[in-house]
Amino acid sequence: MDAVTDVVVVGAGPTGLLVAGDLAAAGLSCVVLERRHGESNLSRAAGVHARTLEQLDARDLADDFVAVGLPIDTLRVFGQGVLDLSCLATRFPYLLAVPQFMTERLLTKRARTMGVEFVPGAEVTGLRQDADGVDLDVRTHDGRDCTWRARYVVGADGARSAVRHSLGLPFPGLSVARSLLLCDVQMTDPPPNVLTADAVKDGFAFVLPFGDGWYRVIVWSRRRRRADTAPVELGEIRDITRRVLGSDFGMHDPRWISRFSCDERQVPAYRVGRVFLAGDAAHVHSPAGGLGMNTGLQDAANLGWKLAAVVRDGAPAWLLDTYSSERHLAGEIALRTSGRLLRSAMARPRTLRAVWRVLLRTATGVPAFARRMAETISGIGLAYPAAAGAHPLVGRRAPDLPLAGPGPKSVYQALRCRCWLLVVPPGSRVPAQAAAGWEGRVRVVTAGDATRTLVLVRPDGYIAWAAAAGSESSADLIRTALAEWCGPPPTPIAR
């Protein structure tokens, strides 16, 4: 064996970088294997949604992202449809336009600071696993073959995942659009700083500002479906944009231009033994809605703390199974949402396209429907399944409520400790005593607003357990919940 580590992450895209940083922050040894050499200068994914920003806020990273991005709170789509993100109940009621290379730069800096080891030019060629770990066959940039031994492996190596292929897993789905064109350009006569998109009978166009003079443009024409390898010229993109949006906005000097196809695919299971799949290795879909990278980053946020809890704290092994069940559902929702948006733009008959426009305009004009659409696209509305009889809050996203007393002033500031939060009502005494023994894993904080509910918040900002406060059995209920989710206490419990 050439190396042994707690976790090997394959792939240094946003998903791999986030999970690696989380694992290292939790004290686990973590190595990232990446086929590329050096930093990517491609923008690829261009938007960070509100729920992802909340996850980044829990890592004290959100403000760094906001500093280099452009907040966009109004999404203008299909001519007259307007989706207002400012209605979202979050500190980040917008889509943040930021190129992927900047996302990777910020996440790489954090991962290196936390002690992650990076191995560039490393290609996975196979894997084997046993009851204690995984052996990864790796070919280095100089052609040397070696083996990495890890307790667990995370495959975050993209749509053509070598990890997924080595597991022999299928990637079922279908191709939904061919010959989409993408470029990042400058403009002499740009549209207003809102996300702009529209569709006509034979194509669609999408324009997103980055806020630094560069714009992301994605177009598609029913007339010009060519192989992905066909050359692309800016004139082709300008022509389609003019036909759809009425102007090419003076596009010039592209820094990146590409032709690609869209598939909708999802692996049947995100976990096989000690190997996990995340990001594009587990699910791919169209860029409609900007959900791809965000879904992958939230995969990472879900998986990292669970691996750390099992490896470091002796948390129950079943906790790792919840990664696949929870995130497979999230992937299904992302595929369905993105697919509906794409198909509405590609609808061919004029009457069908007109129906989509009316439905969208009507939905965005009704506050309840508009809020639900905004919550779905932003990720704020995602909830995980709860067991029968569980409290209604279980599985839902924890809002960023204010906290009382010294220390962190809100829930997501408190989550920066990368531990569980037991949120208790003002004046409560029993819960703090009940959590004794889990110090270092569980932080007891006091709600800033009046409440009579005890809430146990997972490190990824979802509610694992809740109960009414004030009963004599509160302490026993808390200890039972902590033992179930956090594992046995490392120190004797004070009763």
Side-chain angles (χ1 to χ4, degrees):
M1 297 298 169
D2 294 281
V4 180
T5 190
D6 285 329
V7 182
V8 167
V9 176
V10 184
T15 300
L17 291 169
L18 185 63
V19 74
D22 284 357
L23 293 169
L28 275 62
S29 59
C30 182
V31 173
V32 174
L33 305 180
E34 170 55 49
R35 293 183 60 180
R36 296 178 302 180
H37 281 277
E39 181 183 81
S40 171
N41 64 350
L42 303 181
S43 55
R44 293 191 179 94
V48 181
H49 277 298
R51 183 55 180 158
T52 305
L53 285 167
E54 289 185 334
Q55 298 286 6
L56 295 171
D57 195 28
R59 293 156 178 80
D60 201 16
L61 287 173
D63 290 339
D64 293 336
F65 274 77
V66 173
V68 298
L70 175 67
I72 299 174
D73 62 9
T74 302
L75 309 185
R76 189 177 304 278
V77 292
F78 303 124
Q80 300 180 33
V82 177
L83 186 61
D84 182 8
L85 300 180
S86 66
C87 69
L88 294 171
T90 172
R91 192 162 80 88
F92 310 100
Y94 47 75
L95 169 72
L96 186 71
V98 57
Q100 183 172 324
F101 68 78
M102 185 58 69
T103 295
E104 292 184 3
R105 186 176 300 169
L106 292 170
L107 293 177
T108 298
K109 179 181 178 181
R110 179 210 181 216
R112 291 189 185 280
T113 300
M114 294 299 172
V116 173
E117 178 184 353
F118 286 83
V119 182
E123 179 181 0
V124 172
T125 59
L127 65 80
R128 299 164 303 284
Q129 57 179 314
D130 53 42
D132 299 316
V134 184
D135 295 329
L136 277 170
D137 297 326
V138 179
R139 182 162 297 155
T140 63
H141 68 280
D142 57 2
R144 183 174 65 93
D145 291 326
C146 60
T147 302
W148 286 79
R149 175 75 172 177
R151 298 178 70 175
Y152 293 94
V153 168
V154 178
D157 49 341
R160 296 181 177 86
S161 170
V163 174
R164 188 186 64 240
H165 179 75
S166 297
L167 290 171
L169 288 175
F171 204 31
L174 70 161
S175 179
V176 292
R178 290 177 56 102
S179 198
L180 283 81
L181 303 175
L182 178 152
C183 68
D184 286 351
V185 297
Q186 294 181 321
M187 296 180 173
T188 57
D189 186 24
N193 279 342
V194 293
L195 186 152
T196 302
D198 207 347
V200 296
K201 65 179 181 180
D202 62 355
F204 63 78
F206 164 102
V207 178
L208 174 72
F210 286 119
D212 58 357
W214 291 95
Y215 291 79
R216 161 64 52 83
V217 180
I218 301 177
V219 300
W220 175 78
S221 174
R222 202 182 305 276
R223 303 175 185 176
R224 301 182 182 183
R225 286 179 283 184
R226 302 174 183 173
D228 291 350
T229 55
V232 187
E233 295 183 356
L234 184 59
E236 184 178 1
I237 296 176
R238 294 181 66 172
D239 178 60
I240 298 172
T241 305
R242 281 194 302 269
R243 286 193 288 108
V244 177
L245 298 178
S247 172
D248 63 17
F249 308 112
M251 297 181 202
H252 62 91
D253 295 327
R255 67 181 175 188
W256 182 36
I257 190 166
S258 178
R259 189 189 302 271
F260 67 101
S261 295
C262 289
D263 287 0
E264 291 177 348
R265 301 185 183 279
Q266 187 177 29
V267 74
Y270 286 21
R271 179 191 184 188
V272 178
R274 290 177 171 265
V275 182
F276 302 84
L277 296 173
D280 287 354
H283 47 78
V284 295
H285 46 79
S286 85
L291 304 178
M293 181 184 71
N294 288 274
T295 304
L297 287 170
Q298 291 167 48
D299 289 345
N302 185 290
L303 177 59
W305 71 268
K306 293 177 179 178
L307 274 172
V310 171
V311 173
R312 181 192 64 189
D313 300 331
W318 60 259
L319 190 62
L320 296 178
D321 290 328
T322 66
Y323 167 70
S324 186
S325 60
E326 290 179 349
R327 294 311 300 169
H328 195 281
L329 172 63
E332 291 175 358
I333 294 172
L335 262 72
R336 185 165 59 246
T337 302
S338 176
R340 287 172 177 170
L341 290 170
L342 181 68
R343 285 166 176 78
S344 66
M346 296 176 65
R348 187 164 191 169
R350 179 176 300 178
T351 54
L352 179 57
R353 196 165 57 253
V355 168
W356 274 111
R357 285 174 180 266
V358 171
L359 288 175
L360 185 63
R361 188 165 61 249
T362 301
T364 55
V366 177
F369 289 155
R371 187 179 304 109
R372 180 64 181 270
M373 290 176 63
E375 289 175 346
T376 298
I377 290 176
S378 67
I380 293 294
L382 176 69
Y384 294 133
H391 191 282
L393 291 177
V394 172
R396 294 172 58 183
R397 156 192 166 267
D400 195 17
L401 298 175
L403 300 178
K409 299 305 180 185
S410 69
V411 166
Y412 284 85
Q413 284 186 16
L415 284 171
R416 293 173 187 174
C417 67
R418 307 302 304 146
C419 59
W420 292 76
L421 297 183
L422 180 61
V423 185
V424 304
S428 180
R429 295 181 180 179
V430 172
Q433 299 170 355
W438 282 273
E439 291 87 352
R441 299 188 202 175
V442 181
R443 183 174 188 172
V444 180
V445 295
T446 302
D449 296 332
T451 179
R452 293 191 58 79
T453 304
L454 299 166
V455 175
L456 182 62
V457 181
R458 303 173 358 174
D460 61 350
Y462 288 88
I463 296 172
W465 172 87
S471 68
E472 295 182 358
S473 61
S474 290
D476 290 336
L477 291 173
I478 291 169
R479 283 191 286 267
T480 299
L482 293 179
E484 177 184 5
W485 283 98
C486 306
T491 57
I493 301 175
R495 292 182 178 272

